[in-house]
Amino acid sequence: MPDDSITYILLNSCIINNFVLSAFLGICPFLGVSGRFETASRMGLAVTFVMIVSSLCAYALNLVLVSMEMEFLRLICYIAVIASSVQLVEMVLKRYSPALFRALGIFLPLITTNCAILGLVLFQTFKGYNLVQCLAYAIGAGAGFTLALAIMSGLREQLALHDVPSMARGAGLTLMVAGILSLAFMGFAGLGN
Amino acid sequence: MTATGMSESIWPVYTRGLWRENPVFVMQLGMCPTLAVSNSVINSLSMGLATLAVLVASSALVSLMRNVIPKQVRIATYIVIIATFVTVVDYALQAISLDIHKALGAFIQLIVVNCIILGRAEAFASKNSVVRAITDAAGMGLGFTFALICLGAVRELLGNGSLLGFDVFGPQFEPWAIMILPPGGFFVLGAWLLVFAWFKERSARTAARKEPSHAG
């Protein structure tokens, strides 16, 4: 499969180079919101949504910046785009789907400081993807993030029922589990070649 | 607070970030860059120093402008201030060492969304005088660097058999390659957190034994 085909980009960003488990992006929500499956899957959904919107906006913005030769403003513009697309998603959800808006609650505004989103728009710029490739990359990354969060929350729900030594309760054990999960995802390396 | 701020001792503000409220080991902030770039000591050190520079500069500016920034748009203002300094550090690092800049990749630009910096701007710099804000930022930044080096040293030693690029174990050593790969980051940070939790628990136990009246 060629490196820039849509299928490969989807597969790559979702499984082979999973954003959370092998690129270390979005670790904060991964550790913070993965306690329960309900919230974890909703968080994944919201992040995917913001990823798609900000990926497309950033693509358009980058064309403008390059044509005006102002690449040094890229970072500031991207972060502004992400913050405003989070705001946009918030407004749209509030208007058309108040139930989902209430369910996401505080997680929605916090997505602005999720490094998976800034990472996504930076990587798509470095890789020089076109519009369709950007869309595939954003969907794949969002799906991968949701997948990692869902698996982790399932594991932690099980873990909560077991007798763990008191010193290992909390972040230490969660990181160990994440390490094993990341080890498992390394098995996907070379997929699609 | 500003009036009494200067007369108070500044030392606890500085040491707090280094150890007692260490951003990585205690508060668990800024995990993404911590895990991603700590596969060698030199990467850890440069990432730590870059973050320190951004943290000190943006804390100073936020503190200077704390009476000018309207409350409603403060978060957006902080992010723009931070993004400006990150761009400066990004270009500076590119000029100093292209190799390190390449090794750290996008994670230099991702300093913008490092929660430590926004957290210190919101929780400390926006309420304190410039000197205290800079001291706090320096302490937090050095604490972050210290944590990164703790991780980087273990990972480089086990995964590559070297420290700062110098061979430690000699040619017979079989590198434990998983340690410099992504899973190693999770394992080593998890292990450090377990060690810290163990220390904390043990010192709490000894303290409880010394003062039995407080134990119950």
Side-chain angles (χ1 to χ4, degrees):
Chain A
M1 226 183 285
D3 265 8
D4 52 355
S5 76
I6 304 298
T7 336
Y8 182 77
I9 291 174
L10 265 174
L11 209 62
N12 184 40
S13 55
C14 179
I15 292 178
I16 305 171
N17 284 312
N18 187 288
F19 262 52
V20 178
L21 294 171
S22 67
F24 297 122
L25 294 168
I27 298 289
C28 302
F30 179 66
L31 297 179
V33 201
S34 64
R36 287 184 52 231
F37 182 77
E38 275 298 303
T39 39
S41 48
R42 279 184 190 142
M43 178 70 181
L45 217 65
V47 167
T48 312
F49 211 57
V50 177
M51 270 182 175
I52 294 170
V53 175
S54 41
S55 163
L56 297 180
C57 294
Y59 176 76
L61 192 69
N62 190 40
L63 288 185
V64 176
L65 284 181
V66 168
S67 72
M68 289 163 73
E69 295 184 352
M70 297 208 298
E71 283 96 337
F72 59 90
L73 282 180
R74 197 181 270 153
L75 193 61
I76 298 178
C77 292
Y78 279 180
I79 198 81
V81 157
I82 292 171
S84 42
S85 56
V86 169
Q87 202 87 66
L88 186 79
V89 168
E90 215 175 330
M91 270 151 47
V92 170
L93 276 185
K94 205 174 185 177
R95 174 80 180 75
Y96 292 105
S97 169
L100 185 61
F101 177 77
R102 271 197 304 276
L104 288 172
I106 181 71
F107 299 134
L108 212 47
L110 280 183
I111 296 174
T112 313
T113 50
N114 184 338
C115 52
I117 305 199
L118 186 62
L120 173 90
V121 297
L122 286 175
F123 285 147
Q124 79 179 24
T125 313
F126 293 153
K127 292 183 178 181
Y129 282 159
N130 64 28
L131 188 62
V132 185
Q133 286 169 329
C134 282
L135 189 62
Y137 196 48
I139 294 173
F145 182 81
T146 315
L147 180 71
L149 235 70
I151 297 177
M152 192 64 194
S153 61
L155 286 171
R156 280 182 67 179
E157 277 187 357
Q158 288 294 314
L159 219 53
L161 302 174
H162 291 266
D163 187 23
V164 177
S166 62
M167 72 163 203
R169 276 187 208 128
L173 190 68
T174 312
L175 278 162
M176 284 294 180
V177 174
I180 296 170
L181 214 54
S182 162
L183 210 56
F185 267 71
M186 269 181 67
F188 291 117
L191 199 74
N193 286 335
Chain B
M1 184 144 197
T2 340
T4 54
M6 293 307 289
S7 56
E8 273 172 41
S9 170
I10 215 158
W11 187 244
V13 176
Y14 178 68
T15 53
R16 186 179 56 195
L18 276 179
W19 187 254
R20 202 153 38 82
E21 285 180 25
N22 186 293
V24 176
F25 290 138
V26 181
M27 300 209 289
Q28 279 142 33
L29 292 174
M31 295 300 232
C32 308
T34 310
L35 290 163
V37 302
S38 64
N39 51 7
S40 73
V41 177
I42 192 77
N43 283 358
S44 303
L45 187 65
S46 19
M47 184 67 192
L49 292 182
T51 311
L52 175 70
V54 175
L55 189 54
V56 169
S58 49
S59 279
L61 194 59
V62 165
S63 174
L64 270 176
M65 293 171 62
R66 69 186 184 282
N67 296 326
V68 189
I69 301 172
K71 205 171 177 337
Q72 294 84 357
V73 294
R74 65 184 194 287
I75 301 287
T77 318
Y78 298 159
I79 289 197
V80 171
I81 289 174
I82 296 168
T84 311
F85 284 116
V86 171
T87 311
V88 171
V89 166
D90 185 35
Y91 280 89
L93 195 65
Q94 219 165 340
I96 296 168
S97 164
L98 207 54
D99 288 337
I100 291 178
H101 186 265
K102 268 196 199 126
L104 297 180
F107 278 93
I108 287 290
Q109 303 200 342
L110 284 173
I111 295 177
V112 179
V113 282
N114 190 326
C115 355
I116 300 172
I117 301 178
L118 193 61
R120 287 337 279 173
E122 165 76 8
F124 198 89
S126 61
K127 300 184 188 100
N128 285 282
S129 66
V130 182
V131 181
R132 284 172 65 87
I134 290 178
T135 320
D136 173 72
M140 285 287 165
L142 285 175
F144 181 68
T145 314
F146 165 72
L148 272 174
I149 291 175
C150 282
L151 253 82
V154 174
R155 288 180 73 182
E156 192 181 342
L157 202 61
L158 294 178
N160 206 18
S162 62
L163 206 59
L164 270 170
F166 296 107
D167 224 3
V168 175
F169 293 130
Q172 298 95 333
F173 180 70
E174 183 69 43
W176 193 3
I178 204 76
M179 281 300 157
I180 42 176
L181 293 172
F186 285 117
F187 285 138
V188 174
L189 182 56
W192 274 114
L193 289 181
L194 289 184
V195 169
F196 272 77
W198 178 69
F199 261 120
K200 216 196 238 163
E201 201 167 82
R202 208 185 58 160
S203 58
R205 254 207 316 271
T206 31
R209 214 178 294 138
K210 266 182 201 158
E211 299 169 53
S213 55
H214 290 274

